[in-house]
Amino acid sequence: MKNTFKIIIAAFLFIGMSSCSDEQNFQILEPQGSFAIVTPETGTTIVLDAKLQNNPATTLTWAPADYATPTEVLYAVEIAKTGTEFAEIIPGGSTTGTHITWSVADLNSAAVAAGLLPFEQGSIDIRVKSTVAGGQPQYSDVVNLFLTPFSTALPQLAVPGNHQGWNPKTAPRIASSAFGKTDYEGYVWLDGGHKLVGPDAKGIYDWSAGPDWGDDGSFTGKLLLDNEKDMNAATPGYYLIKADTEKLTYSETKTTWAIIGNATPGGWSTDTPMTYDPATKKWTVIATLSTQAAPNDGLKFRPNGDWPGNYGDSGADGLLDGDGTNISTTEGTYLITLDLSNPRAYTYSFVKQ
């Protein structure tokens, strides 16, 4: 009995000692002060080049955070538009080291996400957040970079109207030839009145957001920004729209499409008509082709039974080029598809039947 009692007492003592030991070992790691970003220097200016997207843009380095005891530290880089006090944080990467290298593409994506406009200098703030297991986060100082981002997307205008319920957000688009250019074009199915709507600074297409253009009231191909009238397709159909928002001019040409060439049933003298599907926004035809090799032979896509506005494929890459090289063919029956729904990125395909 005495031995049993001694064992019970010993057990309680052991538990008590273990508890004391755990309490002594557990501690919250407190940061010992801020740590500094070493490079790049605040105020650094970087112009980002779309041709060098895979190249390094800059390397962010910082001094290690101090938690007064050896422990693994996780660093997370935070980016925000200057003046926002990091209200909306763009993640800039994480590491257990003390540096991160951004490619041109990475830094450009962060700049655009922060709200900087393409091809215009803007400013971002960068800081590093450190955390450890069981510890409090610690922040570095903030550095400021002046960036000029780029965009590979062509500027676009929406074409809302009677053909789709007058909703700019879901309307088909036309595109300019390059950033900063005002010469827009694209193919749209029209059915009555419509207008052109540009995006606001955040890229939102809506009546209350960006600018919108219509006819000046003379219906002679002149655009007007204020007090405009609806542009109006004379008859429902598939139109090539061209508009210049600087010159304030526009044109709309109704088109039907066909294939032609010595690879097609009609040769170079007779079009083989294609059919438009409003659901897919594509033109298609099933036709039997012969084997013909470009550049002298093959086929092309052309509108309205005439050569102005025809498309070939100069790069043999599936992308259409205005008045481009004939398209080579291989003997067989094909479903031929012409897709003009993406402005200035027109494509085609052959699927053997």
Side-chain angles (χ1 to χ4, degrees), residues 306-342:
D306 205 354
W307 289 110
N310 77 87
Y311 289 108
D313 184 358
S314 298
D317 54 6
L319 299 176
L320 291 170
D321 305 285
D323 199 26
T325 303
N326 297 336
I327 299 168
S328 296
T329 59
T330 302
E331 182 178 358
T333 299
Y334 294 86
L335 170 62
I336 303 171
T337 300
L338 172 65
D339 186 354
L340 303 174
S341 63
N342 297 313

Side-chain angles (χ1 to χ4, degrees), residues 34-58:
S34 63
F35 58 103
I37 292 176
V38 179
T39 63
E41 293 183 356
T42 192
T44 296
T45 298
I46 302 175
V47 177
L48 300 167
D49 189 341
K51 298 177 182 178
L52 305 173
Q53 294 193 53
N54 294 324
N55 289 15
T58 189

Side-chain angles (χ1 to χ4, degrees), residues 35-41 58-64 75 77 95 97-102 126 128 140-141 143:
F35 58 103
I37 292 176
V38 179
T39 63
E41 293 183 356
T58 189
T59 297
L60 184 75
T61 62
W62 55 90
Y75 299 97
V77 179
T95 179
T98 56
H99 74 277
I100 281 182
T101 298
W102 290 309
I126 302 172
V128 182
S140 73
D141 59 336
V143 297

Side-chain angles (χ1 to χ4, degrees), residues 25-280:
N25 290 335
F26 180 76
Q27 60 178 317
I28 296 175
L29 297 180
E30 296 287 350
Q32 302 302 299
S34 63
F35 58 103
I37 292 176
V38 179
T39 63
E41 293 183 356
T42 192
T44 296
T45 298
I46 302 175
V47 177
L48 300 167
D49 189 341
K51 298 177 182 178
L52 305 173
Q53 294 193 53
N54 294 324
N55 289 15
T58 189
T59 297
L60 184 75
T61 62
W62 55 90
D66 184 6
Y67 284 88
T69 185
T71 185
E72 184 176 70
V73 181
L74 177 65
Y75 299 97
V77 179
E78 298 182 342
I79 300 171
K81 190 174 184 179
T82 298
T84 63
E85 301 295 331
F86 291 90
E88 294 184 18
I89 294 172
I90 293 90
S94 61
T95 179
T96 55
T98 56
H99 74 277
I100 281 182
T101 298
W102 290 309
S103 69
V104 170
D106 291 337
L107 195 54
N108 189 75
S109 296
V112 172
L116 273 61
L117 298 178
F119 307 105
E120 294 184 15
Q121 188 182 81
S123 180
I124 63 170
D125 290 337
I126 302 172
R127 68 185 182 188
V128 182
K129 175 183 177 181
S130 71
T131 54
V132 297
Q136 298 296 319
Q138 183 178 358
Y139 289 93
S140 73
D141 59 336
V142 176
V143 297
N144 170 255
L145 296 186
F146 293 95
L147 302 179
T148 303
F150 61 84
S151 174
T152 57
L154 297 176
Q156 297 185 345
L157 299 178
V159 189
N162 190 61
H163 54 284
Q164 54 81 238
W166 291 97
N167 186 351
K169 295 179 180 178
T170 60
R173 307 280 181 83
I174 59 178
S176 72
S177 59
F179 201 92
K181 300 293 185 180
T182 59
D183 56 339
Y184 295 86
E185 77 162 45
Y187 292 88
V188 178
W189 179 272
L190 298 175
D191 182 10
H194 54 281
K195 287 186 178 181
L196 306 178
V197 176
D200 66 5
K202 295 183 178 180
I204 297 173
Y205 292 83
D206 208 351
W207 296 114
S208 60
D212 62 271
W213 294 265
D215 194 275
D216 72 345
S218 68
F219 299 98
T220 58
K222 298 177 182 178
L223 289 176
L224 192 64
L225 185 59
D226 297 311
N227 301 313
E228 72 281 1
K229 304 296 182 182
D230 292 349
M231 302 154 72
N232 193 31
T235 57
Y238 197 72
Y239 286 79
L240 168 60
I241 301 175
K242 293 186 176 183
D244 193 311
T245 55
E246 182 178 18
K247 297 178 180 179
L248 293 178
T249 59
Y250 77 97
S251 65
E252 298 180 336
T253 304
K254 189 176 181 180
T255 64
T256 58
W257 288 85
I259 56 172
I260 193 169
N262 60 349
T264 70
W268 286 109
S269 61
T270 305
D271 286 307
T272 300
M274 306 183 78
T275 301
Y276 182 70
D277 183 347
T280 63

